[in-house]
Amino acid sequence: MSFNTFGRVFRFTTWGESHGPAIGAVVDGCPPGLLLSEADIQPFLDKRKPGTSKFTTQRREPDDIRILSGVFEGRTTGTPISLMIENTDQRSKDYSEVAKAYRPGHADYPYDAKYGFRDYRGGGRSSARETASRVAAGAVARLVIPDVDIFAYVSEIGGDAIDPARFDAAEIGNNPFFCPDPEAAKRWEKLVDEARKDGSSLGAVVECIASGVPAGWGAPLYAKLDSELAAAMMSINAVKGVEIGDGFAAARLRGEQNADPMLPGEDGPHFLANHAGGIAGGISTGQPIRLRVAFKPTSSILIPVETVTREGAASNIVTKGRHDPCVGIRGVPVVEAMMALVLADQKLLDRAQCGER
Amino acid sequence: MSFNTFGRVFRFTTWGESHGPAIGAVVDGCPPGLLLSEADIQPFLDKRKPGTSKFTTQRREPDDIRILSGVFEGRTTGTPISLMIENTDQRSKDYSEVAKAYRPGHADYPYDAKYGFRDYRGGGRSSARETASRVAAGAVARLVIPDVDIFAYVSEIGGDAIDPARFDAAEIGNNPFFCPDPEAAKRWEKLVDEARKDGSSLGAVVECIASGVPAGWGAPLYAKLDSELAAAMMSINAVKGVEIGDGFAAARLRGEQNADPMLPGEDGPHFLANHAGGIAGGISTGQPIRLRVAFKPTSSILIPVETVTREGAASNIVTKGRHDPCVGIRGVPVVEAMMALVLADQKLLDRAQCGER
Amino acid sequence: MSFNTFGRVFRFTTWGESHGPAIGAVVDGCPPGLLLSEADIQPFLDKRKPGTSKFTTQRREPDDIRILSGVFEGRTTGTPISLMIENTDQRSKDYSEVAKAYRPGHADYPYDAKYGFRDYRGGGRSSARETASRVAAGAVARLVIPDVDIFAYVSEIGGDAIDPARFDAAEIGNNPFFCPDPEAAKRWEKLVDEARKDGSSLGAVVECIASGVPAGWGAPLYAKLDSELAAAMMSINAVKGVEIGDGFAAARLRGEQNADPMLPGEDGPHFLANHAGGIAGGISTGQPIRLRVAFKPTSSILIPVETVTREGAASNIVTKGRHDPCVGIRGVPVVEAMMALVLADQKLLDRAQCGER
Amino acid sequence: MSFNTFGRVFRFTTWGESHGPAIGAVVDGCPPGLLLSEADIQPFLDKRKPGTSKFTTQRREPDDIRILSGVFEGRTTGTPISLMIENTDQRSKDYSEVAKAYRPGHADYPYDAKYGFRDYRGGGRSSARETASRVAAGAVARLVIPDVDIFAYVSEIGGDAIDPARFDAAEIGNNPFFCPDPEAAKRWEKLVDEARKDGSSLGAVVECIASGVPAGWGAPLYAKLDSELAAAMMSINAVKGVEIGDGFAAARLRGEQNADPMLPGEDGPHFLANHAGGIAGGISTGQPIRLRVAFKPTSSILIPVETVTREGAASNIVTKGRHDPCVGIRGVPVVEAMMALVLADQKLLDRAQCGER
């Protein structure tokens, strides 16, 4: 079933295909009175924009955002905010071969099996192009949670991880990989460039930290903050794993190692560790929210892979087009956006049930 | 916000606290005409039941299921199915200390920060006892997807993993760990018993496989099958990580290694690999759905941990009560239940949009 | 599709059949810290209880409410509140004839056409018995909106209306019809008794007023306060019409007659009329919310009606059992409950988007 | 709370203000493979279009529809369908006075009380202009239910009703009032023109009939077909009352008069009457769905009404602008659209739970 809305009271709905005339999002439930203009959104889109280095797809899209509703005299009115980005650099001819055979790892085959029909141009709805809509919506979400600071970065590409000892948040913007470790960034230049030249691709791990979240957002069970975040992250194209806090590493610790001991603090407890990633029992603890997201390597590669045609004949496919050699890199602003969207929703939900904090 | 309903058209709502009179679930949207009696549900509850070995909590609950509505003359009527399990072995006196100080790793502190108030008896709503309701609902879900075979097992405890070469599904029921590798099961006896005697606890990894899912369940984006499964799994108590298919390991592969090549097959393509875990572009491919779930070590341990009292004073806490030394073990039937609940919902959603398959 | 949940953030789910072991409701999203015990709910159930006069069904149910979860030490904990009422006076033998032929006006035929199967005992899920669950949930909702005063009454039975000039709210509890006009109440005694003796039944109009609702609850369009109320009221058994404010009468007025002029007042405008029923543009104005609900005559009558059997043969049916000669009478506490449930939800929704008022 | 999405599995979200750059709708959950182009939508918009006679607002909008996503090679792809209509004839200067004082009967005051802020140009989000988005979405919904025939008409203006004996469906398109009684249409010309010249306005009743709905759509309680339709209709601007079947008139009938007797028929029972309006127990009976909707007189009139300013001072207001003297007339295509949208959703919901019919 097609469900293109995410969120419970702060909700957004995205629409649009990679090679249609435009893509967009409708943000509903946004509180009134927030200052909002295109300038609040554009920088986040620019961060995600394709064609900015040789390490990302060469498709060139200005990704100019337009606000079509929900803002009056510079402020949100509490009504739906319609955001639109025109597609300008579609080259649908690149996709003639894709129309005939299924690209392994892509949505091509299951999509066809489901709908009996698909827009094969650039992956259609399944293209990572859709994430621009999320980034735009996420920029609005950030305005709802002004006290929360969110940033993400790439911590690993093709199995080569950053050195935590060299972590420097200030470095994240200084290289095309959103890498907080300048030495890793250097290694990745070579690594990603080689993969690109080989016509191959690499996976990546993105980490995201949200600080300033008060204790009390979330819920004990089905709207657990961890659960909402996992759904949000796993809805991003190419994501195959999510960890909150220590994640799988916690499964290797003993109870006393994994505990986050508390000492008396000024505003609530002072925690001596954060294995839990800022969430216990589904509810934020006041510590930074910390999560990790695994991006598989881009499925579009120039190395031939065995496949079948729509008619069921054996074939080989090489995905030409213009693709990211490591789709996880441009995943960074998308992960940040989804974090902001979940937290904005949780803030409003918490306010609904428990009143203002 | 308290959201205790999961699912979109096949939905269930759970209620109840660890030490209240009963717990239960209301299953809504179930198709009519399915044969259903308590006997279809009880075996799954028995599998999850506490007190069955020294490796699980010594609380003794018969966990007798009652169906209070939605079934007439042995068949579902299409109306809500109310399921109830009485709590019989509450010992609330165990929890007097918990009332005063927050147990690190538990929901205690954030719950109090959120609601200003909490039922401290056995974790109240945050207790793993709630998962019995899920297991009951999951048994109903299985009836909706009779062609799907679901099973889960523990693949790792305290960092000690099974040997895939010794994997034998028939062994899973032969040991108290739901372990498919008899040698690992032997090692774990010692491992878990030692942790228990130390008053400590261990984490675990649970894997789950669903075969018989046709190609076409799921959706390209916000109701991606991966996203729904991640939300479902992460909503289980103590879960901190979810991987679909190769998960984080996929982030270390190159594009050509991670591809699942296709050859012509009888019913749709024959896949040569299943790195994707049976889901591409958010939609099932017809291959087995495969996922992994990380359970942190039980937070309730006998080793003292630094904490604070409700009044904010420094304290130490030892969680006596009766607890699972490795909560992941009893997570196995819960993971299976959540898999069944998501797949039943997806089947109905798919039928809504795309008609019968 | 079976959707047994109502509400957006303050939600309730009901379950249970007329002749099953019990019926109940799960209230989710209720704010924490509210004082709640069975004693807060029972009086509303007693008001709706069958068998209290010869003008209602002679089924005798104590309708004792039990709270199974969500309350600790006398206060709501913010987790789901499970409410249960046992059925004690089922006489399923009354319904043998109903099993064979469809009662016109009842859900019998369409229910069977939909589900292929039905619990024919007392209407099963379609019985007005379900409304006891709503009344219980409504009692919880009232605690969420302590400043709102809600009352309903019957304004018309069988076409015989009260005289607005004799309206006296204090009279509502003094007669078995919830009638605010003592003279009408006298006439109705005769009217309803005659219909009962004839084996016939009568329709009724119920009016409901909620005062103390601040300006600002609701939304411009799809969660319009009028829209939510209309859905709520039309979900009650036997209801076939809903009017907000002047309703259909407004369609006969000219613009200047229907205007609700405003003068400056102390807390917001002072309105000179309330044709709009306290809602303009979907949002409350601060005036009393005022609505009218049409109940059709009970479809269960002793006068034979032509019908068909399950096998499609011509037949006549007489519905014996024990029925209300005018189901609208006992609709009064149900209408009040639905009003409370909608307003509680709207209060929390408004708080989510716009903060505390 | 702002909730601008309607529907459960066939859903639409509208956005846009009367005087913003555009308005639109995103339709989600539409089945794949349906033939859809702008030409399927435009005729319905043309029917609703302003400026077509002196009996409707003189604002001139071409209301050209654009499909921005969800359609490929002329067919729906199962992904969200983004529909956009540009606003071309805004004259915001007309609204300077509205910025200062609240128009009685409009959303002005409660909107401001809620959001603390409003787009006063032409009613902003609360303008009937939004209904163009619904009409566009409704045209898509019709494609989902090709066997259902839906038509609506005006049955009463300013209290002057059609004569059922002269009802002729073929006449509906022959006059500017969607009136099936040519003599009433003649009377209304004079009636509406006089009201217009007086600077006043008139209310209207719109009736809608959907035939071809099979028995079995709907649900016993909270997604009752009546309840969904009531919510849909009451969400339309200026609507204050909804009746299913006989509605309030049923409240004046006795049980035997209101019964819809059944005789054996070819496909299910043959009904001898349709007091119930095609819905019993919340589920369609296979008879035509029949409902009535009350539109209040347009609140924008040239006759001065007492009001208050934003600052709380006494004032008088005359609403100049360009307005419909009887907003119910253009409500006809909107009522049809909402009927189609509800039925499309119910068809898919029914298919989800009960399979193909």
Side-chain angles (χ1 to χ4, degrees):
Chain A
M1 186 69 195
S2 179
F3 265 98
N4 294 279
T5 297
F6 190 90
R8 296 171 188 267
V9 299
F10 185 93
R11 296 173 309 286
F12 68 100
T13 302
T14 72
W15 55 268
E17 279 83 35
S18 178
H19 287 60
I23 59 172
V26 181
V27 177
D28 200 6
C30 184
L34 302 176
L35 286 167
L36 175 65
S37 74
E38 279 86 353
D40 294 301
I41 301 174
Q42 197 62 52
F44 295 99
L45 284 168
D46 292 345
K47 200 170 159 185
R48 182 206 155 278
K49 200 161 64 175
T52 52
S53 80
K54 67 179 170 182
F55 307 111
T56 63
T57 171
Q58 295 307 300
R59 178 168 173 172
R60 296 200 177 266
E61 287 288 356
D63 279 356
D64 287 335
I65 189 74
R66 281 188 68 197
I67 299 175
L68 295 176
S69 69
V71 175
F72 181 59
E73 298 183 343
R75 288 186 183 274
T76 59
T77 56
T79 59
I81 301 165
S82 178
L83 305 169
M84 188 168 76
I85 302 165
E86 285 183 60
N87 289 330
T88 61
D89 188 22
Q90 311 101 307
R91 293 194 201 155
S92 295
K93 63 179 147 65
D94 289 335
Y95 294 95
S96 53
E97 196 171 351
V98 177
K100 288 182 217 135
Y102 300 125
R103 294 166 302 167
H106 276 285
D108 297 358
Y109 167 66
Y111 197 104
D112 218 356
K114 182 180 191 72
Y115 297 111
F117 191 76
R118 76 194 154 100
D119 177 353
Y120 48 76
R121 301 164 307 163
R125 182 69 181 148
S126 302
S127 165
R129 176 125 193 86
E130 186 266 354
T131 58
S133 300
R134 303 180 188 223
V135 169
V140 180
R142 285 178 188 254
L143 303 176
V144 177
I145 45 170
D147 298 333
V148 176
D149 182 58
I150 295 170
F151 73 96
Y153 53 90
V154 178
S155 69
E156 189 183 311
I157 288 185
D160 180 10
I162 59 167
D163 179 349
R166 273 196 303 267
F167 183 98
D168 179 359
E171 284 292 325
I172 295 171
N174 290 343
N175 59 74
F177 304 106
F178 301 109
C179 178
D181 168 356
E183 295 197 20
K186 264 178 233 156
R187 297 195 306 269
W188 294 351
E189 273 199 36
K190 206 168 155 247
L191 196 66
V192 178
D193 206 37
E194 279 173 4
R196 187 180 62 81
K197 285 177 185 157
D198 293 350
S200 182
S201 64
L202 297 172
V205 175
V206 173
E207 300 188 4
C208 186
I209 295 171
S211 48
V213 174
W217 291 2
L221 294 165
Y222 301 99
K224 266 187 167 170
L225 189 45
D226 336 41
S227 186
E228 304 280 281
L229 287 169
M233 298 304 157
M234 204 68 104
S235 77
I236 302 172
N237 311 50
V239 170
K240 299 302 278 188
V242 181
E243 295 181 312
I244 307 292
D246 285 2
F248 280 84
R252 280 168 227 127
L253 299 177
R254 287 166 66 98
E256 66 275 19
Q257 295 167 322
N258 189 56
D260 295 324
M262 290 180 253
L263 295 181
E266 296 205 2
D267 299 317
H270 171 70
F271 289 88
L272 297 175
N274 188 10
H275 298 283
I279 308 173
I283 306 174
S284 60
T285 61
Q287 293 181 279
I289 309 288
R290 201 162 53 78
L291 57 79
R292 301 177 81 235
V293 181
F295 284 82
K296 68 176 182 182
T298 319
S299 298
S300 302
I301 52 177
L302 286 166
I303 298 166
V305 186
E306 287 172 294
T307 190
V308 298
T309 65
R310 280 204 82 183
E311 283 68 38
S315 183
N316 273 273
I317 197 157
V318 160
T319 311
K320 286 167 191 158
R322 298 159 296 173
H323 304 290
D324 288 286
C326 174
V327 75
I329 299 169
R330 289 204 298 134
V332 165
V334 184
V335 166
E336 288 178 351
M338 294 309 293
M339 175 71 93
L341 288 156
V342 167
L343 293 177
D345 193 28
Q346 291 290 334
K347 177 183 173 172
L348 301 191
L349 282 166
D350 183 61
R351 190 157 75 177
Q353 194 182 14
C354 299
E356 298 277 8
R357 290 194 182 278
Chain B
M1 185 68 195
S2 179
F3 265 98
N4 293 279
T5 297
F6 190 90
R8 295 173 189 264
V9 298
F10 184 93
R11 295 174 308 286
F12 68 101
T13 302
T14 73
W15 56 268
E17 279 82 36
S18 177
H19 287 60
I23 59 171
V26 181
V27 177
D28 199 7
C30 184
L34 303 176
L35 286 167
L36 175 66
S37 75
E38 279 87 354
D40 295 301
I41 301 174
Q42 197 63 51
F44 296 99
L45 283 168
D46 292 346
K47 200 170 159 184
R48 181 206 155 278
K49 199 161 65 176
T52 51
S53 80
K54 66 180 170 181
F55 307 112
T56 62
T57 170
Q58 293 308 299
R59 177 169 173 170
R60 296 202 177 265
E61 288 287 358
D63 278 357
D64 287 336
I65 190 75
R66 282 187 68 196
I67 299 175
L68 295 176
S69 69
V71 176
F72 182 59
E73 297 184 343
R75 288 185 183 275
T76 59
T77 56
T79 58
I81 301 165
S82 178
L83 305 169
M84 188 168 76
I85 301 165
E86 286 184 60
N87 289 329
T88 62
D89 187 23
Q90 311 101 308
R91 294 193 202 156
S92 296
K93 64 180 146 68
D94 289 335
Y95 295 96
S96 54
E97 198 171 350
V98 176
K100 288 182 217 133
Y102 300 124
R103 295 167 302 167
H106 276 285
D108 297 359
Y109 166 66
Y111 197 104
D112 218 356
K114 182 179 190 72
Y115 298 111
F117 192 74
R118 76 192 155 100
D119 177 353
Y120 48 76
R121 301 164 307 164
R125 181 70 182 150
S126 302
S127 166
R129 177 128 192 82
E130 185 267 351
T131 59
S133 300
R134 304 180 186 222
V135 169
V140 179
R142 284 177 190 254
L143 303 176
V144 177
I145 46 171
D147 299 333
V148 176
D149 182 59
I150 295 169
F151 73 96
Y153 52 91
V154 177
S155 68
E156 187 182 313
I157 289 185
D160 181 10
I162 60 168
D163 178 349
R166 273 196 302 268
F167 184 98
D168 180 359
E171 285 292 326
I172 295 171
N174 291 342
N175 59 72
F177 305 107
F178 303 109
C179 178
D181 167 357
E183 296 197 21
K186 263 177 235 158
R187 297 194 307 268
W188 294 352
E189 271 198 39
K190 206 167 155 247
L191 196 65
V192 178
D193 206 38
E194 278 174 3
R196 187 181 61 81
K197 284 178 186 159
D198 294 349
S200 182
S201 63
L202 297 172
V205 174
V206 173
E207 300 188 2
C208 187
I209 295 171
S211 48
V213 175
W217 291 2
L221 294 166
Y222 301 100
K224 268 188 167 170
L225 189 44
D226 337 39
S227 185
E228 304 281 280
L229 287 168
M233 298 304 156
M234 203 68 103
S235 77
I236 302 171
N237 311 51
V239 170
K240 299 301 278 186
V242 181
E243 295 182 312
I244 307 292
D246 285 2
F248 279 85
R252 280 168 228 126
L253 299 177
R254 286 167 66 100
E256 66 276 18
Q257 295 167 323
N258 188 56
D260 294 325
M262 292 180 253
L263 294 181
E266 296 206 3
D267 299 317
H270 171 70
F271 288 88
L272 297 175
N274 188 11
H275 298 284
I279 308 172
I283 305 174
S284 61
T285 61
Q287 294 181 279
I289 309 288
R290 201 163 53 78
L291 57 80
R292 303 177 81 236
V293 180
F295 285 82
K296 68 178 181 180
T298 319
S299 298
S300 301
I301 50 176
L302 286 165
I303 298 166
V305 186
E306 288 172 295
T307 191
V308 297
T309 65
R310 280 203 82 181
E311 283 69 39
S315 183
N316 272 272
I317 198 157
V318 161
T319 312
K320 285 166 192 162
R322 299 158 296 172
H323 304 291
D324 288 286
C326 174
V327 76
I329 299 170
R330 290 205 296 135
V332 165
V334 185
V335 166
E336 289 179 351
M338 295 308 294
M339 174 72 92
L341 288 157
V342 167
L343 292 177
D345 193 28
Q346 290 290 333
K347 177 184 173 172
L348 301 192
L349 281 167
D350 184 59
R351 189 158 75 178
Q353 193 180 13
C354 300
E356 297 277 7
R357 286 189 187 281
Chain C
M1 186 67 193
S2 180
F3 264 99
N4 294 278
T5 297
F6 190 90
R8 295 171 190 265
V9 299
F10 185 92
R11 297 173 308 286
F12 69 100
T13 302
T14 73
W15 55 268
E17 278 83 36
S18 178
H19 287 58
I23 59 172
V26 181
V27 177
D28 200 6
C30 183
L34 303 176
L35 285 166
L36 174 66
S37 74
E38 280 86 354
D40 295 300
I41 300 174
Q42 196 63 50
F44 295 99
L45 284 168
D46 292 346
K47 199 170 161 185
R48 181 207 155 278
K49 199 162 64 176
T52 52
S53 81
K54 65 179 171 183
F55 307 112
T56 62
T57 171
Q58 295 307 299
R59 177 168 173 173
R60 296 202 178 264
E61 288 288 356
D63 279 355
D64 288 335
I65 189 73
R66 282 188 68 199
I67 300 175
L68 296 176
S69 69
V71 175
F72 181 61
E73 297 184 341
R75 289 185 182 273
T76 58
T77 56
T79 60
I81 301 165
S82 179
L83 305 169
M84 189 168 75
I85 301 165
E86 285 184 59
N87 289 330
T88 62
D89 188 22
Q90 311 100 309
R91 293 193 202 157
S92 296
K93 62 180 147 66
D94 289 334
Y95 295 97
S96 52
E97 196 170 351
V98 177
K100 289 182 219 133
Y102 300 123
R103 296 166 301 166
H106 276 284
D108 297 359
Y109 167 66
Y111 197 103
D112 219 356
K114 182 182 190 70
Y115 298 111
F117 191 76
R118 76 193 155 100
D119 177 354
Y120 48 76
R121 301 164 308 162
R125 182 70 183 149
S126 302
S127 166
R129 176 123 194 85
E130 185 267 352
T131 59
S133 300
R134 304 180 187 223
V135 169
V140 179
R142 284 179 189 254
L143 302 177
V144 177
I145 44 170
D147 299 334
V148 176
D149 183 57
I150 295 170
F151 73 96
Y153 53 90
V154 178
S155 69
E156 189 182 311
I157 288 185
D160 180 11
I162 59 168
D163 179 348
R166 274 196 302 268
F167 183 97
D168 179 359
E171 285 293 325
I172 296 172
N174 290 343
N175 60 73
F177 305 107
F178 301 109
C179 178
D181 167 357
E183 296 197 20
K186 264 179 234 155
R187 298 195 307 270
W188 294 352
E189 271 197 42
K190 205 166 156 253
L191 195 66
V192 178
D193 206 37
E194 279 173 4
R196 187 179 62 82
K197 285 178 185 156
D198 294 350
S200 183
S201 63
L202 298 171
V205 175
V206 173
E207 300 188 3
C208 186
I209 295 171
S211 48
V213 174
W217 290 2
L221 295 166
Y222 302 99
K224 266 187 166 171
L225 189 44
D226 336 42
S227 185
E228 303 281 279
L229 287 168
M233 297 304 157
M234 204 67 104
S235 78
I236 301 171
N237 311 51
V239 170
K240 299 302 278 187
V242 181
E243 296 181 313
I244 307 291
D246 285 2
F248 280 85
R252 282 169 227 126
L253 299 178
R254 288 166 64 99
E256 66 276 19
Q257 295 167 322
N258 188 55
D260 294 324
M262 290 179 254
L263 295 181
E266 296 205 4
D267 299 317
H270 171 69
F271 289 88
L272 297 175
N274 188 11
H275 297 283
I279 308 172
I283 305 174
S284 61
T285 62
Q287 293 181 281
I289 309 289
R290 200 163 54 79
L291 58 80
R292 302 177 81 237
V293 181
F295 284 82
K296 68 177 183 181
T298 318
S299 298
S300 302
I301 52 177
L302 285 166
I303 298 165
V305 186
E306 287 171 295
T307 189
V308 296
T309 65
R310 280 204 82 184
E311 284 67 40
S315 183
N316 273 273
I317 197 158
V318 160
T319 311
K320 286 165 192 161
R322 298 158 297 171
H323 304 289
D324 288 286
C326 174
V327 75
I329 298 169
R330 290 204 298 134
V332 165
V334 185
V335 166
E336 289 178 352
M338 294 309 293
M339 175 71 92
L341 287 156
V342 168
L343 292 178
D345 194 28
Q346 290 289 334
K347 177 184 172 172
L348 301 192
L349 281 166
D350 182 60
R351 190 158 75 178
Q353 194 181 12
C354 301
E356 299 276 7
R357 290 192 182 279
Chain D
M1 186 68 196
S2 178
F3 265 98
N4 293 280
T5 297
F6 190 90
R8 295 171 189 267
V9 299
F10 184 93
R11 296 173 309 286
F12 68 100
T13 302
T14 73
W15 55 268
E17 279 82 37
S18 177
H19 287 61
I23 59 172
V26 181
V27 177
D28 200 5
C30 184
L34 304 175
L35 285 167
L36 175 65
S37 74
E38 278 86 354
D40 295 300
I41 301 174
Q42 197 63 51
F44 296 99
L45 284 168
D46 291 346
K47 199 169 160 186
R48 182 207 153 278
K49 200 163 63 176
T52 51
S53 80
K54 67 180 171 182
F55 307 110
T56 62
T57 170
Q58 295 307 298
R59 177 169 172 170
R60 297 203 176 265
E61 287 288 356
D63 278 356
D64 287 335
I65 189 73
R66 281 187 67 197
I67 300 175
L68 296 176
S69 70
V71 175
F72 181 59
E73 297 183 344
R75 289 185 183 273
T76 59
T77 55
T79 59
I81 302 165
S82 178
L83 305 169
M84 188 169 77
I85 301 165
E86 285 184 59
N87 289 328
T88 61
D89 187 25
Q90 311 100 309
R91 296 194 200 155
S92 296
K93 64 181 147 63
D94 289 336
Y95 294 95
S96 52
E97 197 170 350
V98 176
K100 288 183 217 133
Y102 301 124
R103 295 166 302 167
H106 275 284
D108 297 359
Y109 167 65
Y111 197 103
D112 218 356
K114 182 179 191 72
Y115 297 111
F117 192 75
R118 76 192 156 100
D119 177 354
Y120 47 75
R121 301 163 307 163
R125 182 70 182 149
S126 302
S127 165
R129 176 125 192 84
E130 186 267 352
T131 60
S133 300
R134 303 180 187 224
V135 169
V140 179
R142 284 177 189 255
L143 303 177
V144 177
I145 46 171
D147 300 333
V148 176
D149 182 59
I150 295 169
F151 72 95
Y153 52 90
V154 177
S155 69
E156 188 182 312
I157 288 185
D160 180 10
I162 59 168
D163 179 349
R166 273 196 302 267
F167 183 97
D168 180 358
E171 285 292 325
I172 294 171
N174 291 342
N175 59 73
F177 304 107
F178 302 108
C179 179
D181 167 355
E183 296 198 20
K186 263 180 235 155
R187 298 195 306 271
W188 294 351
E189 271 198 40
K190 202 164 160 251
L191 196 66
V192 178
D193 205 37
E194 279 172 3
R196 187 181 62 82
K197 284 177 186 158
D198 294 350
S200 183
S201 63
L202 298 171
V205 174
V206 173
E207 300 188 3
C208 185
I209 295 171
S211 47
V213 175
W217 291 2
L221 294 166
Y222 301 99
K224 268 187 166 170
L225 189 44
D226 336 41
S227 185
E228 303 280 281
L229 287 168
M233 298 305 158
M234 203 67 103
S235 78
I236 302 172
N237 310 52
V239 170
K240 298 302 278 187
V242 181
E243 295 181 314
I244 307 292
D246 285 1
F248 279 85
R252 280 167 228 128
L253 299 177
R254 286 166 67 98
E256 65 276 19
Q257 296 167 323
N258 188 55
D260 294 324
M262 291 179 254
L263 294 180
E266 296 206 4
D267 300 317
H270 171 70
F271 288 89
L272 297 175
N274 188 10
H275 297 285
I279 308 172
I283 305 175
S284 60
T285 61
Q287 294 180 279
I289 309 288
R290 200 163 55 75
L291 57 79
R292 303 177 79 237
V293 181
F295 284 82
K296 67 177 183 181
T298 318
S299 297
S300 302
I301 51 176
L302 286 166
I303 298 165
V305 186
E306 287 171 295
T307 191
V308 296
T309 64
R310 280 204 82 183
E311 283 69 38
S315 182
N316 273 273
I317 198 158
V318 160
T319 312
K320 286 165 191 161
R322 298 158 297 171
H323 304 290
D324 288 285
C326 174
V327 75
I329 299 169
R330 290 204 298 134
V332 165
V334 185
V335 166
E336 289 178 351
M338 294 308 293
M339 174 72 92
L341 287 157
V342 167
L343 293 177
D345 193 28
Q346 290 290 334
K347 176 183 174 174
L348 300 192
L349 281 166
D350 183 59
R351 189 158 75 176
Q353 194 181 13
C354 300
E356 297 278 6
R357 289 190 184 279

